[in-house]
Amino acid sequence: MITLYGIKNCDTVKKARKWLEKNGIDYHFHDFREDGMQAVPLKRWLGEFGWQEVLNRRSTSWRALSDEQKHCMDNDTALVLASETPTLIRRPVTSTANNTRFGFKEAEFAQLTGQPN
């Protein structure tokens, strides 16, 4: 089963959800805002991928951080900030039993789900 993490009004999340539905793939959607951050494996993501992969450094939320916060960013700081401001997380996050991906690219989704490209 695929879990798709994100925010329902995010355009990239909308594209990913539409692609999954179009291809008849069952998934569970976890909205960071509505469903909360308690069940989000953010600490594991940061440990496995590092803050550079997990945080969206092109987001408005990233730009709103102080220069000091950006300069001193590490996994521990990212954990605190992303827990408080989930829009810092690169979306969508797609998770299966043995695979986690950040962002949406049709070719990667096809590979992840075993669908023809």
Side-chain angles (χ1 to χ4, degrees):
M1 176 63 128
I2 293 173
T3 301
L4 190 75
Y5 295 90
I7 297 169
K8 70 179 175 184
N9 64 345
C10 170
D11 288 338
T12 310
V13 170
K14 288 179 187 178
K15 288 178 192 176
R17 293 182 77 181
K18 188 174 187 175
W19 188 93
L20 290 167
E21 290 163 7
K22 177 182 152 198
N23 287 282
I25 297 167
D26 290 332
Y27 68 96
H28 168 74
F29 179 63
H30 182 99
D31 188 299
F32 292 140
R33 289 183 176 148
E34 291 183 10
D35 301 322
M37 294 297 291
Q38 295 79 12
V40 176
L42 183 57
K43 188 172 187 173
R44 180 175 58 80
W45 295 342
L46 289 164
E48 188 173 338
F49 298 99
W51 71 267
Q52 297 90 339
E53 180 70 15
V54 175
L55 300 187
N56 181 358
R57 291 177 281 169
R58 296 185 326 191
S59 72
T60 304
S61 299
W62 175 264
R63 289 191 296 269
L65 296 176
S66 70
D67 288 338
E68 182 181 348
Q69 286 173 309
K70 293 175 195 175
H71 181 72
C72 296
M73 188 62 63
D74 60 17
N75 284 351
D76 293 334
T77 304
L79 178 63
V80 171
L81 291 174
S83 294
E84 294 170 355
T85 310
T87 53
L88 280 168
I89 301 170
R90 189 169 162 212
R91 302 176 304 268
V93 182
T94 310
S95 182
T96 63
N98 56 6
N99 198 326
T100 301
R101 294 179 189 254
F102 298 86
F104 172 72
K105 292 182 182 166
E106 283 190 35
E108 288 182 4
F109 265 49
Q111 180 184 26
L112 179 69
T113 60
Q115 298 292 311
N117 195 3

